[in-house]
Amino acid sequence: MFPKDITPEIINSFSPNTLVSHLGITVTEIGVDCLKATMPINEDTRQYMGILHGGASVVLAETIGSIGSFLLIDRETQYTVGLEVNANHVGSASEGMANAKARIIHKGKKTHVWSIEISDDNNKLLSVCRLTMMIITK
């Protein structure tokens, strides 16, 4: 589904000096039907009670879904923008890594819809997210 010539290293090189790099988000795998990324749970991503901030989880979800859509479009004639994102935070973590796995659930001509699950290092589910991306002709 994804281009074979794109690697996580190439994708990770796109984001220096952005929110993505500030939060330590790293693409770790471009699979056959999914993308995976991690984000450290640390002083940059925790809220005042010492647990992963829900907003940081949403950034992780939107980042990995946006990358997925970027890989699926004709980058010469199209670009993508986030249209809507929502998240249900169902668990908490105070350390380790937040691990995101994104799968496309709708690949239309004008929109993509992604399902993203975020878990901790013990595979405990932290957030369930849905991202809608709009495909725009340049």
Side-chain angles (χ1 to χ4, degrees), residues 39 41 44-48 51-58 89 93:
M39 178 180 69
I41 302 170
D44 293 328
T45 59
R46 286 191 291 254
Q47 44 107 310
Y48 73 97
I51 60 175
L52 179 61
H53 194 292
S57 295
V58 171
H89 307 300

Side-chain angles (χ1 to χ4, degrees), residues 15 17-27 36-40 44-46 52-68 82 84-89 98-102 114 116-118 127-131 133:
S15 300
N17 304 311
T18 66
L19 180 60
V20 173
S21 64
H22 177 72
L23 295 181
I25 296 172
T26 303
V27 174
K36 294 182 181 180
T38 60
M39 178 180 69
D44 293 328
T45 59
R46 286 191 291 254
L52 179 61
H53 194 292
S57 295
V58 171
V59 171
L60 175 58
E62 185 158 355
T63 298
I64 195 67
S66 295
I67 290 167
E84 193 268 341
V85 63
N86 70 61
N88 292 96
H89 307 300
N99 304 290
K101 183 176 185 177
W114 292 86
I116 302 108
E117 290 189 351
I118 301 172
S127 297
V128 178
C129 310
R130 180 158 294 173
L131 171 68
M133 297 295 296

Side-chain angles (χ1 to χ4, degrees), residues 66-138:
S66 295
I67 290 167
S69 284
F70 172 79
L71 294 176
L72 295 176
I73 62 169
D74 177 351
R75 294 181 298 279
E76 297 293 320
T77 62
Q78 299 173 311
Y79 64 97
T80 63
V81 294
L83 188 60
E84 193 268 341
V85 63
N86 70 61
N88 292 96
H89 307 300
V90 297
S92 64
S94 57
E95 61 185 13
M97 298 298 275
N99 304 290
K101 183 176 185 177
R103 291 182 187 275
I104 196 163
I105 56 177
H106 168 73
K107 184 182 173 191
K109 292 180 182 178
K110 298 289 184 184
T111 59
H112 291 168
V113 180
W114 292 86
S115 177
I116 302 108
E117 290 189 351
I118 301 172
S119 59
D120 69 6
D121 288 330
N122 297 315
N123 290 321
K124 176 183 154 190
L125 189 61
L126 302 177
S127 297
V128 178
C129 310
R130 180 158 294 173
L131 171 68
T132 304
M133 297 295 296
M134 181 185 295
I135 313 306
I136 299 174
T137 301
K138 291 181 180 180

